[in-house]
Amino acid sequence: MGRSGFICAFLIAACCCCRRAAGVPGEAEQPDPELVEVEVGGTALLKCGPSHSPGNFSHADWFSVHKEKPTLIFLVRQGQGQSEPGEYQNRLSLQDQGTTLALARITPHDERIFLCQGKRPRSQEHRIQLRVYKAPEEPLIQVNALGISVNSEEPGEVATCVGRNGYPLPQVTWYKNSQSLKEEKNRVHIQSSQIVESSGLYTLRSVLKAQLTKEDKDAQFYCELSYRLPSGNHMKESREVTVPVFYPAERVWLEVEPEGMLKEGDRVEIRCLADGNPPPHFSIGKQNLSTREMEEERTDDNGVLVLEPARKEHSGLYECQGLDLESTASLLSDQQELVVNYVSEVRVSPAAPESQEGSSLTLTCEAESNQDLEFQWLREKTGKVLAKGPVLQLRNLKREAGGGYRCVASVPSVPGLNRTQLVNVAIFGSPWMALRERKMWVKENSVLNLSCEASGHPRPSIVWSVDGTASEQDQDPQSVLSVLNVLVTPELLETGAECVASNSLGRNTTVIILELDSNRTTSLSTSTVSPYARANSTSTEKKLTEPESKGVVIVAVTVCVLVLAVLGAVLYFFYKKGKLPCGRSGKQEMERNTSI
């Protein structure tokens, strides 16, 4: 080294010594700064030296170092602190007898190095690296509602993930069906960007793009934000989303509802299904039995063929055709047979059976079905099963055998599939009355309904012997009920009423005797005799008025008093005559006691 080089080296060393002696902060070699971690909004405690340091920090200067430029922010003199004007002026305070500087209301802008320079007993520096943290908000994920086609040549946008107000910038990881996704050329691309808010916090936006397949139609995608706090590492997950995936159909097929055995009267829906998304345009065809060609059926707006009510004519072969409007490819389903089970109208012969009393009658029931049929006969008015099978034998007929008989044709293998036919059996005979004679208690001037029921074949007609308003009701083809509305007059009480039923084979009558009963009360002003209460028919008249009711009570009490008086007189008479044994023995006992 030459003389000039030696001089230069000496000058540089001397300059360095002078700068150290001058106390310029940040120039001397220092150990790694002490790390202090705190969350946004919290308070950072900055110590002027290590806890084991023996130094006296009653006289110190605090600096904020930003972009390698120190700025004086706080002075400590004799244990008393004073803030310098600036951004930290109202947020600094001393703690721990002046050894700790407290920085309140931490923001992301406070992440920097702070320098404490002690003055006594000798100059010394302590550097502090302040790290600031803030957990991001829950990640928001938005799926691409327009969907992705599997035929796309480039990866399509799946979803966007946004994490707001975190510090420092969180890390994002994408998942598909709980498996993390990595960048893959032409398959997976993750594009992330960030925005620095005025608060210093970060908002992260990440877009996932991927090449999807048909198998991804139900895939679950979500994003995860990883971040650090003073307490350690943390993460937050978004909700799971499914992106619409579009792919061409490879197969179409028919579906029929309801499943199982169908019957006439059911509501049947035939719909086309496909394994493509979106589904192709559907049409449904049915084979023409004459030409053996498929003819298109009319469907609703959703491409569903509705058969309501289903009929046996709807049975046959059906197929579905699907047309992909994008590729114009056409797909046909397998043909499917639809069977609508049925029972034809039930026919009974003879259709209008007639017979004489004492004779026999045979009723035969017929029907057709595509399934095995069962027949049974029921009495209409009782519901009682009379016979099983298509034939009903009625022997030694009596008048009571007339009326309705029902044949039921059913298919045991198809629940609910049956049809019935009602036939009325007529037994020739003169009119038969429900009652020969009936007595009714009535009140004069009341209004009541008289009823009369008759049956026979041919069907009888009814006339009344008295005037009134008559109406008739058909009980069945051989029976009739006549109701006469009349006013109870003295003449009607005297003559009564007679109901006369007649047909071509004879006539018959019912006599109604009316009796006046002033002591009987009724609850209604009129009476209608029920057609079913034949033997117990009674009339109903007006109620007695309150004075009439009281008069009846007074008469009853008077009669009771008179009876008791007569009975007492009779008993006294027998007692005097000595004809009462208990009385005589009592008298003798009294005389015996007196003599003693």
Side-chain angles (χ1 to χ4, degrees):
M1 178 183 297
R3 184 175 180 182
S4 60
F6 178 79
I7 293 173
C8 288
F10 176 79
L11 290 174
I12 291 172
C15 181
C16 289
C17 291
C18 291
R19 294 181 69 178
R20 288 194 196 101
V24 178
E27 295 295 332
E29 290 294 332
Q30 296 290 337
D32 291 338
E34 178 186 355
L35 181 63
V36 173
E37 297 179 319
V38 65
E39 291 190 47
V40 169
T43 299
L45 301 179
L46 311 176
K47 294 183 178 295
C48 194
S51 58
H52 58 276
S53 175
N56 179 4
F57 300 103
S58 62
H59 189 99
D61 296 335
W62 282 92
F63 296 87
S64 163
V65 181
H66 182 56
K67 294 183 179 180
E68 299 184 357
K69 178 183 178 182
T71 301
L72 182 64
I73 60 173
F74 200 81
L75 298 176
V76 181
R77 297 293 182 268
Q78 296 180 353
Q80 300 296 319
Q82 178 183 348
S83 290
E84 291 293 309
E87 59 178 317
Y88 294 105
Q89 183 173 2
N90 298 318
R91 293 195 289 144
L92 295 172
S93 61
L94 278 181
Q95 294 184 6
D96 298 337
Q97 298 179 351
T99 63
T100 301
L101 181 66
L103 175 58
R105 303 187 297 280
I106 292 293
T107 71
H109 301 295
D110 296 328
E111 184 170 278
R112 60 187 61 184
I113 290 178
F114 291 86
L115 174 64
C116 174
Q117 191 174 69
K119 298 295 185 180
R120 298 176 183 175
R122 58 185 178 83
S123 178
Q124 56 181 348
E125 291 181 355
H126 183 67
R127 293 155 54 89
I128 301 169
Q129 174 66 63
L130 179 61
R131 296 290 185 194
V132 178
Y133 300 96
K134 168 69 168 61
E137 298 173 6
E138 294 293 329
L140 300 177
I141 189 169
Q142 183 173 3
V143 71
N144 176 16
L146 298 179
I148 299 175
S149 172
V150 298
N151 296 327
S152 176
E153 296 180 357
E154 297 181 356
E157 182 177 322
V158 176
T160 301
C161 180
V162 177
R164 301 184 183 279
N165 298 324
Y167 193 89
L169 184 68
Q171 300 297 314
V172 63
T173 304
W174 282 95
Y175 290 86
K176 182 180 79 171
N177 296 333
S178 301
Q179 298 294 320
S180 62
L181 297 173
K182 305 295 183 183
E183 283 277 351
E184 184 179 349
K185 186 177 181 180
N186 297 329
R187 298 292 301 173
V188 178
H189 178 57
I190 300 174
Q191 182 179 356
S192 298
S193 60
Q194 65 271 357
I195 298 174
V196 181
E197 309 289 349
S198 59
S199 62
L201 300 175
Y202 289 103
T203 291
L204 172 70
R205 185 177 184 272
S206 179
V207 179
L208 171 65
K209 297 182 178 181
Q211 184 79 45
L212 301 183
T213 64
K214 178 180 177 180
E215 288 70 27
D216 294 322
K217 61 185 179 65
D218 297 318
Q220 300 287 324
F221 294 90
Y222 66 94
C223 63
E224 175 188 275
L225 298 182
S226 301
Y227 57 95
R228 193 178 186 285
L229 296 177
S231 57
N233 294 323
H234 300 267
M235 65 89 173
K236 290 182 177 181
E237 294 179 347
S238 72
R239 61 184 178 90
E240 294 181 330
V241 295
T242 300
V243 64
V245 180
F246 303 121
Y247 46 90
E250 300 174 356
R251 186 174 69 91
V252 297
W253 64 94
L254 280 173
E255 184 178 83
V256 178
E257 291 183 356
E259 297 179 349
M261 303 284 278
L262 304 177
K263 64 181 183 295
E264 281 193 318
D266 286 345
R267 173 187 169 90
V268 179
E269 293 185 0
I270 304 176
R271 58 169 46 88
C272 291
L273 297 175
D275 59 355
N277 186 34
H281 173 74
F282 292 122
S283 61
I284 298 176
K286 180 178 182 290
Q287 187 183 64
N288 186 308
L289 294 179
S290 300
T291 63
R292 299 293 177 181
E293 294 182 356
M294 287 292 176
E295 297 179 352
E296 186 173 345
E297 296 287 317
R298 178 175 294 182
T299 61
D300 63 14
D301 295 340
N302 297 320
V304 177
L305 176 60
V306 179
L307 309 176
E308 186 180 18
R311 303 187 306 273
K312 68 176 182 178
E313 292 80 10
H314 292 138
S315 297
L317 289 176
Y318 290 82
E319 74 174 12
C320 175
Q321 181 179 20
L323 177 63
D324 192 315
L325 299 180
E326 182 177 349
S327 65
T328 68
S330 180
L331 295 172
L332 283 177
S333 70
D334 294 334
Q335 292 184 352
Q336 183 170 335
E337 184 177 13
L338 181 75
V339 178
V340 179
N341 297 287
Y342 68 93
V343 176
S344 69
E345 289 188 2
V346 178
R347 302 176 300 279
V348 175
S349 59
E354 299 175 329
S355 186
Q356 302 289 340
E357 284 191 89
S359 62
S360 297
L361 182 64
T362 300
L363 302 178
T364 303
C365 187
E366 294 179 342
E368 288 80 38
S369 174
N370 62 322
Q371 302 286 349
D372 293 335
L373 282 172
E374 285 187 357
F375 295 91
Q376 63 178 4
W377 284 93
L378 289 77
R379 190 69 158 115
E380 178 68 10
K381 63 183 178 181
T382 63
K384 179 181 178 182
V385 177
L386 301 177
K388 291 188 176 181
V391 178
L392 175 64
Q393 293 283 352
L394 300 175
R395 296 183 175 86
N396 193 21
L397 290 172
K398 297 183 179 180
R399 184 187 297 270
E400 292 80 1
Y405 293 82
R406 185 174 295 276
C407 173
V408 180
S410 60
V411 178
S413 59
V414 184
L417 179 56
N418 63 75
R419 297 189 77 166
T420 70
Q421 181 62 50
L422 176 66
V423 64
N424 281 286
V425 174
I427 308 299
F428 284 105
S430 61
W432 178 76
M433 311 305 289
L435 292 173
R436 288 287 186 180
E437 181 180 290
R438 183 168 76 244
K439 179 180 289 188
M440 300 177 63
W441 298 96
V442 299
K443 182 173 178 59
E444 190 172 355
N445 295 324
S446 65
V447 178
L448 74 158
N449 291 331
L450 305 177
S451 67
C452 175
E453 184 176 359
S455 60
H457 185 67
R459 177 183 177 276
S461 59
I462 294 177
V463 295
W464 291 86
S465 63
V466 296
D467 293 333
T469 304
S471 60
E472 289 189 355
Q473 303 172 13
D474 289 334
Q475 301 298 93
D476 57 53
Q478 284 79 47
S479 299
V480 62
L481 173 70
S482 178
V483 178
L484 182 69
N485 184 267
V486 295
L487 175 67
V488 179
T489 63
E491 295 79 8
L492 183 62
L493 287 170
E494 182 178 351
T495 61
E498 186 178 58
C499 161
V500 181
S502 61
N503 62 11
S504 60
L505 299 180
R507 64 194 299 273
N508 211 335
T509 62
T510 293
V511 176
I512 302 176
I513 302 172
L514 304 179
E515 293 286 346
L516 187 62
D517 184 4
S518 60
N519 294 332
R520 296 171 65 94
T521 62
T522 55
S523 58
L524 298 174
S525 62
T526 63
S527 168
T528 301
V529 180
S530 168
Y532 302 104
R534 298 172 181 172
N536 300 319
S537 299
T538 58
S539 64
T540 307
E541 287 95 24
K542 296 180 180 178
K543 282 187 177 181
L544 293 175
T545 60
E546 187 175 351
E548 291 173 334
S549 299
K550 291 181 179 179
V552 172
V553 173
I554 294 172
V555 170
V557 172
T558 304
V559 171
C560 292
V561 171
L562 292 174
V563 171
L564 291 175
V566 172
L567 180 59
V570 172
L571 291 176
Y572 182 79
F573 174 79
F574 282 109
Y575 175 78
K576 283 295 185 177
K577 293 292 185 177
K579 293 183 178 182
L580 291 177
C582 61
R584 184 167 57 246
S585 60
K587 182 178 180 180
Q588 292 171 352
E589 184 67 20
M590 290 175 63
E591 291 174 349
R592 194 179 302 116
N593 291 337
T594 303
S595 60
I596 294 173

